[in-house]
Amino acid sequence: MAGQLSIAKALNEALRKSLENDPKTLLMGEDIGKLGGVFRITDGLQKDFGEDRVIDTPLAESGIVGTAIGLALRGYRPVVEIQFDGFVYPAFDQIVSQLAKMHARALGHVKMPVTVRIPFAGGIGAVEHHSESHEAYFAHTAGLRVVTPSNAHDAHWMLRQAIASDDPVIFLEPKRRYWDKGDVGDSADLGLHAARVVRPGTDATLIAYGPMVKVCQEAAAAAEEDGRRLEVVDLRSISPIDFATVEESVKRTGRAIVVHEAPVFMGLGAELAARITERCFYHLEAPVLRVGGYHAPYPPSRVEESYLPDLDRVLDAVDRALAF
């Protein structure tokens, strides 16, 4: 597996390995078989593993997830694809009312090894309902694990870890990063829910996940030209959150800026800001700041660049934090 792969190819290889390693693993989704998925993440898998294990489903997200729940009850390990982020809402009741609660409802006797893959967030010039960032809904739901990779190595190994989990996992794939390439190692170097410091620094901590990690790395590189050393933490997991790594970083730098593509209002940044303030109050040199999308429906593609947080908006928050 070692070598340079795009995130899309790394995910494809993770699905292939999971299908090879466990005959009870199967894939379900709209157009994932003969077409190989809209983003070609499942390309070639139906040809190699057959229509009984890589299943083209009707356009019915509630039915897809509901069927996956039934299969999990029968001992299978289904991996379902929601074609685009905004299409998950018809399946929302199945996910939050059934999938997330079956383990608790059965007092731990029933496992729900279902992975729900969702290409999420914007930046690809798509039409309405194709660029949503709805991670807060799922993170708020007890019983779900919610994770998102930002690079090819994590995409591959986190997906394999998610599929191997006996708990339901919402696996959010940053669609505008599908074609970014990176090294994929021959083994996982972190647990599924561990955060990673991707760039060390001393002056402030940028905390991000999914598509915004690259933006924060670019902001840190630009800030270094002005003599500012910014630390970048990739959360990787949204629920649960590795608060220990975040806390250690913020205590070291004294400042924190949380960056996500979803709207700032009621976003994950609010929970992170509250926890950081509780745990790091006497180490903070400035309030915890948040950078994110606006509290408005995702705009048409012509103006989405004005909606998406970018390097300038991150650096503006850094300026405000360092001004205290």
XYZ file of all heavy atoms in Angstrom, residues 20-110:
694
model
N -11.908 -7.770 0.653
C -11.061 -8.963 0.589
C -10.938 -9.646 1.950
O -10.939 -10.885 2.044
C -9.661 -8.581 0.086
C -9.595 -8.204 -1.376
C -8.233 -7.698 -1.790
O -7.374 -7.472 -0.904
O -8.014 -7.521 -3.001
N -10.836 -8.835 3.004
C -10.519 -9.381 4.326
C -11.724 -9.977 5.045
O -11.556 -10.776 5.970
C -9.889 -8.295 5.199
C -8.518 -7.873 4.693
O -7.881 -8.596 3.941
N -8.067 -6.687 5.099
N -12.932 -9.564 4.668
C -14.119 -10.021 5.397
C -15.260 -10.274 4.418
O -15.807 -9.328 3.838
C -14.535 -8.968 6.441
C -15.700 -9.428 7.308
O -16.262 -10.509 7.038
O -16.048 -8.700 8.260
N -15.645 -11.530 4.219
C -16.726 -11.826 3.274
C -18.076 -11.268 3.694
O -19.008 -11.227 2.891
C -16.753 -13.360 3.245
C -16.104 -13.796 4.516
C -15.081 -12.744 4.829
N -18.203 -10.829 4.942
C -19.448 -10.242 5.426
C -19.530 -8.742 5.136
O -20.554 -8.110 5.387
C -19.596 -10.474 6.932
C -19.862 -11.921 7.317
C -21.255 -12.380 6.879
C -21.604 -13.738 7.440
N -22.965 -14.164 7.039
N -18.455 -8.169 4.631
C -18.470 -6.751 4.256
C -19.104 -6.607 2.882
O -18.780 -7.358 1.957
C -17.048 -6.173 4.234
O -16.493 -6.218 5.553
C -17.055 -4.728 3.758
N -20.013 -5.664 2.746
C -20.601 -5.384 1.439
C -20.875 -3.891 1.306
O -20.962 -3.170 2.301
C -21.875 -6.203 1.220
C -22.966 -6.177 2.293
C -23.864 -4.975 2.116
C -23.797 -7.457 2.220
N -20.970 -3.444 0.066
C -21.164 -2.024 -0.231
C -22.531 -1.811 -0.859
O -23.000 -2.632 -1.657
C -20.086 -1.519 -1.196
C -18.636 -1.890 -0.919
C -17.722 -1.206 -1.946
C -18.225 -1.521 0.494
N -23.175 -0.690 -0.506
C -24.479 -0.346 -1.058
C -24.512 1.150 -1.361
O -23.957 1.948 -0.613
C -25.600 -0.658 -0.053
C -25.666 -2.086 0.417
S -26.764 -2.230 1.847
C -28.280 -1.559 1.184
N -25.182 1.518 -2.442
C -25.333 2.930 -2.741
C -25.821 3.166 -4.154
O -25.873 2.247 -4.984
N -26.159 4.405 -4.425
C -26.678 4.786 -5.728
C -25.548 4.902 -6.741
O -24.600 5.680 -6.548
C -27.420 6.118 -5.602
C -28.601 6.056 -4.645
C -29.103 7.412 -4.189
O -28.562 8.440 -4.660
O -30.031 7.435 -3.364
N -25.603 4.113 -7.773
C -24.631 4.156 -8.879
C -23.215 3.759 -8.469
O -22.248 4.112 -9.156
C -24.591 5.556 -9.516
C -25.933 5.964 -10.105
O -26.583 5.112 -10.733
O -26.327 7.129 -9.921
N -23.069 3.001 -7.385
C -21.711 2.662 -6.954
C -21.156 1.447 -7.695
O -19.951 1.176 -7.621
C -21.638 2.388 -5.434
C -22.361 1.076 -5.068
C -22.183 3.555 -4.642
C -22.031 0.585 -3.673
N -22.018 0.707 -8.397
C -21.586 -0.533 -9.024
C -21.014 -0.333 -10.407
O -19.810 -0.144 -10.587
N -21.861 -0.386 -11.398
C -21.393 -0.279 -12.791
C -20.705 1.049 -13.053
O -19.693 1.118 -13.756
C -22.575 -0.482 -13.745
C -23.106 -1.912 -13.768
C -24.266 -2.065 -14.732
C -24.701 -3.526 -14.862
N -25.155 -4.110 -13.586
N -21.235 2.134 -12.493
C -20.629 3.455 -12.704
C -19.369 3.641 -11.864
O -18.445 4.344 -12.262
C -21.644 4.551 -12.374
C -21.160 5.998 -12.528
C -20.854 6.301 -13.992
C -22.200 6.976 -11.988
N -19.327 3.003 -10.694
C -18.191 3.214 -9.795
C -18.348 4.435 -8.915
O -17.366 4.920 -8.330
N -19.587 4.947 -8.807
C -19.841 6.126 -7.981
C -19.597 7.414 -8.740
O -18.823 7.456 -9.699
N -20.275 8.471 -8.311
C -20.124 9.775 -8.968
C -18.669 10.222 -8.965
O -18.168 10.787 -9.942
C -21.020 10.823 -8.274
C -20.720 12.222 -8.793
C -22.491 10.499 -8.490
N -17.972 9.972 -7.863
C -16.568 10.367 -7.737
C -15.611 9.201 -7.994
O -14.415 9.311 -7.720
C -16.320 10.957 -6.345
C -17.092 12.212 -6.087
C -18.245 12.191 -5.300
C -16.693 13.421 -6.627
C -18.972 13.346 -5.049
C -17.419 14.585 -6.393
C -18.557 14.550 -5.602
N -16.151 8.077 -8.494
C -15.373 6.887 -8.849
C -14.661 6.268 -7.643
O -13.648 5.584 -7.807
C -14.365 7.201 -9.957
C -14.984 7.780 -11.223
C -16.002 6.819 -11.864
N -16.506 7.318 -13.130
C -17.628 8.020 -13.272
N -18.379 8.306 -12.222
N -18.018 8.426 -14.465
N -15.208 6.462 -6.454
C -14.585 5.887 -5.266
C -14.720 4.366 -5.265
O -13.857 3.653 -4.745
C -15.211 6.477 -3.978
C -15.135 8.006 -3.988
C -14.514 5.922 -2.739
C -13.746 8.567 -4.108
N -15.781 3.843 -5.850
C -15.996 2.396 -5.880
C -15.668 1.798 -7.250
O -16.095 0.691 -7.561
C -17.451 2.061 -5.495
O -18.345 2.795 -6.350
C -17.725 2.441 -4.049
N -14.906 2.512 -8.036
C -14.596 2.084 -9.394
C -13.948 0.697 -9.408
O -12.983 0.429 -8.689
C -13.653 3.093 -10.049
C -13.447 2.825 -11.523
O -14.427 2.450 -12.195
O -12.307 2.961 -12.005
N -14.497 -0.214 -10.210
C -13.928 -1.542 -10.396
C -14.294 -2.562 -9.337
O -13.995 -3.757 -9.490
N -14.948 -2.146 -8.270
C -15.206 -3.079 -7.172
C -16.326 -4.065 -7.486
O -16.259 -5.234 -7.112
C -15.503 -2.300 -5.885
C -14.359 -1.409 -5.382
C -14.767 -0.686 -4.108
C -13.086 -2.227 -5.143
N -17.374 -3.610 -8.166
C -18.438 -4.549 -8.516
C -17.930 -5.594 -9.508
O -18.271 -6.776 -9.403
C -19.647 -3.814 -9.090
C -20.851 -4.725 -9.282
C -22.055 -4.003 -9.871
O -22.086 -3.761 -11.077
N -23.017 -3.665 -9.032
N -17.098 -5.181 -10.431
C -16.534 -6.123 -11.401
C -15.733 -7.218 -10.696
O -15.796 -8.393 -11.068
C -15.649 -5.373 -12.396
C -14.933 -6.272 -13.407
C -14.160 -5.437 -14.404
C -12.993 -4.704 -13.751
N -11.931 -5.645 -13.324
N -15.004 -6.838 -9.655
C -14.120 -7.789 -8.979
C -14.807 -8.596 -7.884
O -14.380 -9.714 -7.583
C -12.921 -7.050 -8.386
C -12.019 -6.455 -9.462
O -12.097 -6.910 -10.620
O -11.247 -5.527 -9.154
N -15.859 -8.037 -7.279
C -16.481 -8.713 -6.137
C -17.931 -9.130 -6.384
O -18.520 -9.820 -5.550
C -16.401 -7.821 -4.891
C -14.992 -7.605 -4.411
C -14.284 -6.490 -4.804
C -14.376 -8.539 -3.584
C -12.972 -6.292 -4.382
C -13.075 -8.351 -3.142
C -12.364 -7.218 -3.544
N -18.498 -8.703 -7.501
C -19.835 -9.158 -7.863
C -20.951 -8.256 -7.370
O -20.773 -7.435 -6.461
N -22.121 -8.440 -7.982
C -23.275 -7.598 -7.694
C -23.911 -7.911 -6.348
O -24.721 -7.126 -5.852
C -24.310 -7.746 -8.805
C -23.823 -7.240 -10.153
C -24.885 -7.325 -11.230
O -26.047 -7.651 -10.892
O -24.565 -7.069 -12.410
N -23.575 -9.038 -5.736
C -24.122 -9.367 -4.420
C -23.364 -8.675 -3.287
O -23.863 -8.627 -2.158
C -24.078 -10.889 -4.184
C -25.062 -11.623 -5.079
O -26.025 -10.988 -5.525
O -24.846 -12.821 -5.333
N -22.180 -8.158 -3.580
C -21.386 -7.496 -2.536
C -21.168 -6.014 -2.809
O -20.851 -5.261 -1.887
C -20.024 -8.205 -2.374
C -20.183 -9.657 -1.903
C -18.868 -10.240 -1.485
N -18.338 -9.551 -0.317
C -17.050 -9.611 0.047
N -16.179 -10.283 -0.691
N -16.649 -8.974 1.131
N -21.332 -5.589 -4.047
C -21.274 -4.164 -4.396
C -22.582 -3.873 -5.110
O -22.729 -4.153 -6.300
C -20.050 -3.834 -5.262
C -20.004 -2.339 -5.567
C -18.756 -4.283 -4.578
N -23.528 -3.306 -4.364
C -24.932 -3.322 -4.768
C -25.396 -1.934 -5.204
O -25.341 -0.969 -4.429
C -25.811 -3.818 -3.597
C -25.328 -5.206 -3.128
C -27.277 -3.843 -3.985
C -25.862 -5.595 -1.761
N -25.851 -1.853 -6.453
C -26.504 -0.630 -6.927
C -27.912 -0.589 -6.358
O -28.718 -1.489 -6.592
C -26.565 -0.611 -8.455
C -25.275 -0.150 -9.088
O -24.691 0.825 -8.595
O -24.834 -0.761 -10.079
N -28.216 0.463 -5.612
C -29.508 0.570 -4.942
C -30.442 1.526 -5.693
O -29.998 2.336 -6.510
C -29.334 1.102 -3.517
O -28.901 2.471 -3.590
C -28.330 0.276 -2.737
N -31.738 1.482 -5.396
C -32.640 2.537 -5.867
C -32.257 3.882 -5.245
O -31.493 3.949 -4.273
C -34.009 2.072 -5.367
C -33.864 0.614 -5.076
C -32.444 0.431 -4.648
N -32.826 4.952 -5.786
C -32.587 6.297 -5.241
C -33.475 6.475 -4.021
O -34.536 7.098 -4.084
C -32.890 7.361 -6.296
C -32.154 7.222 -7.638
C -32.490 8.390 -8.538
C -30.661 7.115 -7.424
N -33.065 5.911 -2.911
C -33.898 5.897 -1.706
C -33.000 5.787 -0.485
O -32.739 4.692 0.014
C -34.894 4.747 -1.760
N -32.541 6.944 -0.004
C -31.560 6.935 1.079
C -32.098 6.287 2.348
O -31.371 5.562 3.036
C -31.092 8.367 1.369
C -30.178 8.958 0.312
C -30.911 9.421 -0.933
O -32.163 9.555 -0.863
O -30.249 9.643 -1.973
N -33.347 6.520 2.686
C -33.923 5.890 3.868
C -33.915 4.373 3.719
O -33.599 3.644 4.671
C -35.354 6.390 4.095
O -35.929 5.786 5.239
N -34.226 3.894 2.526
C -34.208 2.469 2.270
C -32.799 1.889 2.329
O -32.600 0.762 2.802
N -31.830 2.646 1.851
C -30.440 2.177 1.875
C -29.976 1.970 3.307
O -29.450 0.909 3.670
C -29.516 3.187 1.149
C -29.856 3.267 -0.332
C -28.054 2.801 1.342
C -29.179 4.410 -1.050
N -30.171 2.982 4.153
C -29.721 2.870 5.540
C -30.555 1.848 6.300
O -30.036 1.058 7.100
C -29.753 4.247 6.233
C -29.386 4.122 7.714
C -28.797 5.215 5.544
N -31.864 1.832 6.064
C -32.716 0.855 6.730
C -32.318 -0.574 6.392
O -32.265 -1.456 7.268
N -32.000 -0.819 5.127
C -31.539 -2.147 4.723
C -30.212 -2.481 5.385
O -29.982 -3.629 5.812
C -31.402 -2.213 3.191
O -32.667 -1.920 2.591
C -30.928 -3.581 2.739
N -29.328 -1.500 5.491
C -28.034 -1.725 6.136
C -28.213 -2.111 7.606
O -27.491 -2.977 8.124
C -27.176 -0.478 6.027
N -29.172 -1.501 8.272
C -29.447 -1.853 9.672
C -29.889 -3.313 9.764
O -29.415 -4.070 10.623
C -30.506 -0.900 10.265
C -29.943 0.518 10.376
C -30.961 -1.401 11.640
C -30.984 1.569 10.711
N -30.781 -3.714 8.875
C -31.231 -5.101 8.869
C -30.096 -6.072 8.584
O -29.984 -7.137 9.217
N -29.218 -5.710 7.656
C -28.075 -6.565 7.339
C -27.120 -6.678 8.528
O -26.584 -7.752 8.818
C -27.335 -6.007 6.118
C -28.031 -6.222 4.772
C -27.434 -5.320 3.707
C -27.932 -7.686 4.343
N -26.915 -5.556 9.224
C -26.045 -5.585 10.410
C -26.618 -6.508 11.478
O -25.876 -7.231 12.158
C -25.859 -4.170 10.953
N -27.932 -6.482 11.642
C -28.573 -7.383 12.604
C -28.352 -8.853 12.236
O -28.358 -9.731 13.113
C -30.072 -7.088 12.678
C -30.475 -5.783 13.372
C -31.953 -5.494 13.137
C -30.172 -5.837 14.856
N -28.129 -9.107 10.947
C -27.920 -10.476 10.472
C -26.431 -10.844 10.411
O -26.075 -11.894 9.867
C -28.533 -10.636 9.083
C -30.058 -10.672 9.092
C -30.563 -11.971 9.669
N -32.020 -12.084 9.592
C -32.675 -13.194 9.866
N -32.020 -14.272 10.228
N -34.001 -13.221 9.791
N -25.578 -9.971 10.937
C -24.165 -10.316 11.003
C -23.300 -9.769 9.890
O -22.100 -10.066 9.833
N -23.885 -8.964 9.002
C -23.096 -8.359 7.927
C -22.455 -7.057 8.396
O -22.784 -6.516 9.461
C -23.968 -8.121 6.703
C -24.356 -9.397 5.990
C -25.528 -10.076 6.352
C -23.563 -9.934 4.995
C -25.887 -11.261 5.720
C -23.915 -11.121 4.355
C -25.070 -11.781 4.726
O -25.421 -12.946 4.109
N -21.549 -6.558 7.575
C -20.820 -5.316 7.880
C -21.007 -4.375 6.682
O -20.114 -4.219 5.847
C -19.349 -5.650 8.134
C -18.545 -4.591 8.861
C -17.199 -5.140 9.317
N -17.348 -6.059 10.437
C -17.392 -5.696 11.725
N -17.294 -4.420 12.043
N -17.538 -6.588 12.666
N -22.183 -3.734 6.586
C -22.476 -2.921 5.406
C -21.760 -1.562 5.429
O -21.631 -0.928 6.472
C -23.988 -2.733 5.451
C -24.433 -3.204 6.792
C -23.296 -3.817 7.504
N -21.350 -1.157 4.237
C -20.778 0.181 4.024
C -21.668 0.853 2.996
O -21.744 0.404 1.844
C -19.332 0.104 3.504
C -18.750 1.505 3.359
C -18.473 -0.756 4.413
N -22.375 1.899 3.394
C -23.309 2.552 2.473
C -22.764 3.901 2.052
O -22.096 4.588 2.825
C -24.717 2.702 3.096
C -25.230 1.367 3.589
C -24.733 3.712 4.227
N -23.040 4.254 0.820
C -22.640 5.559 0.302
C -23.869 6.428 0.106
O -24.844 6.013 -0.530
C -21.902 5.423 -1.027
C -21.555 6.782 -1.658
C -20.842 6.650 -2.987
O -19.711 6.127 -2.995
O -21.419 7.060 -4.019
N -23.829 7.621 0.683
C -24.809 8.663 0.366
C -24.171 9.497 -0.740
O -23.089 10.055 -0.554
C -25.134 9.529 1.593
C -25.636 8.670 2.760
C -26.150 10.597 1.213
C -26.917 7.915 2.501
N -24.812 9.571 -1.882
C -24.146 10.105 -3.073
C -23.618 11.520 -2.885
O -22.498 11.843 -3.288
C -25.100 10.048 -4.258
C -24.430 10.239 -5.590
C -25.376 9.939 -6.734
O -26.297 10.714 -7.009
N -25.169 8.806 -7.400
N -24.420 12.382 -2.268
C -23.992 13.741 -1.920
C -24.510 14.068 -0.528
O -25.529 13.538 -0.078
C -24.525 14.769 -2.921
C -23.728 14.857 -4.189
C -24.106 14.130 -5.307
C -22.590 15.653 -4.264
C -23.382 14.198 -6.476
C -21.858 15.731 -5.438
C -22.246 15.002 -6.550
N -23.818 14.972 0.137
C -24.123 15.316 1.528
C -25.581 15.693 1.747
O -26.233 15.209 2.672
C -23.208 16.446 2.004
C -22.874 17.417 0.895
O -23.802 17.886 0.197
O -21.685 17.694 0.696
N -26.121 16.571 0.899
C -27.484 17.039 1.091
C -28.538 15.977 0.861
O -29.715 16.192 1.172
N -28.136 14.808 0.327
C -29.086 13.724 0.092
C -29.294 12.862 1.331
O -30.111 11.935 1.308
C -28.609 12.826 -1.053
C -28.470 13.516 -2.380
C -27.940 12.837 -3.463
C -28.863 14.830 -2.563
C -27.803 13.457 -4.695
C -28.736 15.466 -3.791
C -28.196 14.776 -4.864
N -28.564 13.126 2.406
C -28.658 12.267 3.588
C -29.936 12.504 4.383
O -30.366 11.647 5.160
C -27.423 12.459 4.504
C -27.512 13.766 5.293
C -27.245 11.273 5.447
N -30.582 13.642 4.179
C -31.714 13.995 5.042
C -32.891 13.019 4.967
O -33.528 12.757 5.992
C -32.152 15.431 4.773
C -31.055 16.428 5.047
C -30.523 17.222 4.046
C -30.512 16.553 6.326
C -29.500 18.116 4.293
C -29.480 17.442 6.586
C -28.974 18.226 5.564
O -27.950 19.103 5.815
N -33.220 12.434 3.821
C -34.276 11.412 3.832
C -33.932 10.207 4.714
O -34.835 9.501 5.175
C -34.378 10.997 2.357
C -33.929 12.200 1.605
C -32.829 12.783 2.441
N -32.650 9.978 4.953
C -32.219 8.865 5.808
C -31.946 9.314 7.239
O -31.541 8.491 8.066
C -30.967 8.224 5.235
N -32.189 10.571 7.541
C -31.805 11.106 8.849
C -32.519 10.373 9.985
O -31.909 10.042 11.012
C -32.096 12.607 8.899
C -31.466 13.312 10.068
C -30.112 13.589 10.063
C -32.215 13.710 11.162
C -29.512 14.244 11.127
C -31.637 14.363 12.227
C -30.274 14.632 12.210
N -33.794 10.099 9.810
C -34.539 9.411 10.867
C -33.983 8.007 11.102
O -33.832 7.569 12.247
C -36.026 9.343 10.518
C -36.841 8.670 11.608
O -36.685 9.038 12.784
O -37.631 7.766 11.284
N -33.683 7.294 10.020
C -33.099 5.960 10.174
C -31.775 6.033 10.934
O -31.482 5.181 11.781
C -32.858 5.322 8.794
C -34.115 4.902 8.064
C -34.685 3.579 8.579
O -34.300 3.086 9.633
N -35.611 3.012 7.829
N -30.974 7.057 10.644
C -29.648 7.163 11.264
C -29.757 7.522 12.740
O -29.160 6.869 13.603
C -28.789 8.200 10.503
C -28.457 7.678 9.101
C -27.491 8.484 11.277
C -27.790 8.704 8.215
N -30.525 8.563 13.057
C -30.519 9.055 14.447
C -31.509 8.309 15.341
O -31.297 8.238 16.562
C -30.783 10.576 14.502
C -29.750 11.333 13.680
C -32.188 10.919 14.038
N -32.571 7.758 14.776
C -33.576 7.082 15.595
C -33.346 5.579 15.700
O -33.758 4.954 16.679
C -34.984 7.331 15.045
O -35.299 8.700 15.056
N -32.706 4.986 14.695
C -32.509 3.539 14.686
C -31.029 3.167 14.779
O -30.597 2.534 15.747
C -33.129 2.935 13.416
C -34.591 3.272 13.216
C -35.487 2.778 14.337
O -35.214 1.775 14.983
N -36.584 3.498 14.588
N -30.265 3.562 13.788
C -28.854 3.161 13.726
C -28.089 3.562 14.986
O -27.362 2.757 15.570
C -28.206 3.786 12.485
C -26.742 3.426 12.224
C -26.570 1.934 11.998
C -26.211 4.213 11.028
N -28.270 4.805 15.421
C -27.503 5.308 16.565
C -27.948 4.714 17.894
O -27.176 4.708 18.857
C -27.613 6.831 16.633
N -29.176 4.206 17.947
C -29.731 3.816 19.247
C -29.883 2.312 19.446
O -30.211 1.863 20.545
C -31.084 4.502 19.454
C -30.970 6.026 19.554
C -32.323 6.661 19.758
C -32.191 8.153 20.036
N -31.589 8.908 18.922
N -29.650 1.517 18.414
C -29.875 0.073 18.537
C -28.978 -0.550 19.600
O -29.413 -1.429 20.359
C -29.636 -0.607 17.193
C -30.706 -0.320 16.159
S -32.325 -1.019 16.590
C -32.037 -2.735 16.234
N -27.737 -0.111 19.669
C -26.796 -0.673 20.648
C -27.299 -0.427 22.072
O -27.341 -1.342 22.910
C -25.412 -0.053 20.448
C -24.355 -0.618 21.335
N -23.817 -1.870 21.147
C -23.728 -0.107 22.421
C -22.915 -2.103 22.073
N -22.835 -1.054 22.858
N -27.709 0.812 22.354
C -28.204 1.144 23.695
C -29.538 0.462 23.968
O -29.789 -0.023 25.078
C -28.343 2.657 23.849
N -30.397 0.425 22.955
C -31.725 -0.162 23.119
C -31.628 -1.647 23.469
O -32.453 -2.194 24.193
C -32.522 0.050 21.836
C -33.991 -0.270 21.921
C -34.680 0.070 20.605
N -34.676 1.502 20.365
C -34.421 2.056 19.177
N -34.126 1.301 18.139
N -34.460 3.366 19.035
N -30.564 -2.300 22.946
C -30.374 -3.731 23.195
C -29.446 -3.988 24.380
O -28.987 -5.109 24.563
C -29.809 -4.393 21.947
N -29.159 -2.919 25.162
C -28.295 -3.039 26.335
C -26.933 -3.638 25.982
O -26.340 -4.409 26.746
C -28.974 -3.885 27.420
C -30.334 -3.370 27.920
C -30.919 -4.325 28.952
C -30.189 -1.966 28.501
N -26.445 -3.270 24.810
C -25.120 -3.689 24.401
C -25.040 -5.032 23.716
O -23.960 -5.430 23.255
N -26.137 -5.749 23.623
C -26.108 -7.089 23.047
C -26.112 -7.072 21.512
O -25.734 -8.072 20.889
C -27.290 -7.912 23.550
C -27.260 -8.159 25.022
N -26.314 -8.956 25.630
C -28.048 -7.696 26.032
C -26.515 -8.989 26.930
N -27.569 -8.223 27.204
N -26.561 -5.973 20.919
C -26.633 -5.870 19.465
C -25.563 -4.895 18.983
O -25.463 -3.778 19.495
C -28.030 -5.381 19.015
C -28.038 -5.090 17.518
C -29.080 -6.425 19.349
